[in-house]
Amino acid sequence: MESALTRWLRREQEWSDERDQRKKKELILWVVAVPAVAIAITFLPVLFAGGGIADALHRAKYTMIIAAAIDLLLVVGILPQMPGRQYMKYLKIYLDRAFAFDSEREELAAQMMGERGADSVICIPWKESGIGEQRVWITKDYLISTRGNGRLDLVFLNQVKTVETDRKEINYRAGDREMRVNIKDEMFTIDFIYQENAALDEEIREFRDDHVKLSYFSRALRDKVLAAVETMRPE
């Protein structure tokens, strides 16, 4: 019989693969569009100016080389950083370094699979422009929140002493060199502060840190996550 951990990791791998497939389709569009646009910019003006096809092709040849180099950089730079691949990488790091015993990993997996009774797990899916689908999984003892870059946050809810919320204004600049604009936005956070646990192995305690802060650009989403935590941990 398969363990809960095996079943859970398979489910997460399937979700990660689907996530990366969508990203790969976007990458293919860029790989096709970059040379097509570059060649059109080089080829068509020569024809419109009265040049022959041979002259246009000669000029487009160098553009094709440059476009191919850009495509190669895109593929080499993006494929290894696919969010699904990164998520599985960091999930396995957490499983290896944040837990002392296999029984703890099995319990996490069982809870995430909803095997501890009806309504024993809450999943909050959400999407944000530019980063695709994300999820927050909440049980009575754990919370896992994915990030756009493939990383994740793991909260040990059964070790939380206090929960604090906050709203922060953030400022950043966007645009190119010719036109950069200052953008103001808001970040809504939940800070889970752990109680002292001297019984934990020192390496595990250092890896877990003394608190975990989740940040969202949507107040409604932050409040939804907080309400789900309160539902699973009514005390």
Side-chain angles (χ1 to χ4, degrees):
M1 182 178 178
E2 283 187 331
S3 68
L5 182 60
T6 299
R7 294 193 300 274
W8 179 53
L9 287 177
R10 183 169 59 244
R11 185 191 72 183
E12 297 305 286
Q13 184 68 65
E14 290 172 354
W15 177 73
S16 299
D17 290 343
E18 292 176 2
R19 190 179 178 192
D20 283 351
Q21 281 300 322
R22 290 191 291 270
K23 285 291 183 181
K24 287 176 182 177
K25 289 179 181 178
E26 294 176 7
L27 179 60
I28 290 172
L29 290 177
W30 276 103
V31 168
V32 173
V34 167
V37 172
I39 291 170
I41 291 173
T42 306
F43 186 85
L44 294 178
V46 176
L47 289 181
F48 291 147
I53 293 179
D55 185 29
L57 288 174
H58 176 73
R59 296 196 179 194
K61 175 176 66 177
Y62 299 102
T63 303
M64 290 174 65
I65 294 173
I66 295 173
I70 294 173
D71 279 348
L72 180 62
L73 290 174
L74 281 173
V75 172
V76 172
I78 294 177
L79 277 181
Q81 303 300 320
M82 282 288 178
R85 182 180 298 183
Q86 291 294 303
Y87 170 68
M88 292 306 298
K89 170 186 172 182
Y90 285 103
L91 179 58
K92 290 172 182 176
I93 289 174
Y94 270 87
L95 289 173
D96 182 54
R97 298 185 59 187
F99 295 87
F101 305 103
D102 288 341
S103 58
E104 294 176 329
R105 300 180 184 93
E106 284 292 331
E107 180 60 25
L108 166 68
Q111 290 192 29
M112 288 294 160
M113 292 293 289
E115 297 178 359
R116 291 297 182 255
D119 303 321
S120 61
V121 62
I122 296 174
C123 179
I124 302 174
W126 58 283
K127 291 184 178 181
E128 192 163 1
S129 176
I131 65 174
E133 184 186 47
Q134 305 299 311
R135 302 181 308 179
V136 184
W137 291 90
I138 303 157
T139 70
K140 68 181 183 67
D141 293 327
Y142 305 100
L143 180 152
I144 292 180
S145 179
T146 62
R147 299 188 199 174
N149 60 4
R151 298 197 177 218
L152 68 138
D153 292 295
L154 170 62
V155 182
F156 291 81
L157 294 175
N158 54 358
Q159 297 178 24
V160 169
K161 178 176 62 177
T162 57
V163 179
E164 298 178 355
T165 60
D166 197 6
R167 179 187 66 85
K168 294 183 179 180
E169 290 188 356
I170 58 174
N171 299 290
Y172 58 94
R173 302 189 71 187
D176 53 28
R177 292 183 179 180
E178 288 73 24
M179 183 178 293
R180 296 187 68 84
V181 295
N182 292 321
I183 298 177
K184 290 185 177 181
D185 211 333
E186 291 182 315
M187 187 76 75
F188 301 92
T189 64
I190 312 174
D191 197 1
F192 297 93
I193 302 170
Y194 290 144
Q195 57 192 354
E196 290 288 337
N197 190 346
L200 278 178
D201 181 85
E202 184 177 351
E203 290 186 5
I204 293 178
R205 189 163 59 247
E206 289 179 358
F207 181 78
R208 290 187 183 182
D209 210 344
D210 58 358
H211 74 112
V212 179
K213 180 177 286 189
L214 307 181
S215 300
Y216 303 102
F217 284 105
S218 164
R219 180 169 187 168
L221 176 60
R222 190 275 310 270
D223 291 347
K224 190 174 183 179
V225 172
L226 186 61
V229 170
E230 292 172 347
T231 297
M232 302 305 289
R233 301 178 68 250
E235 68 275 9

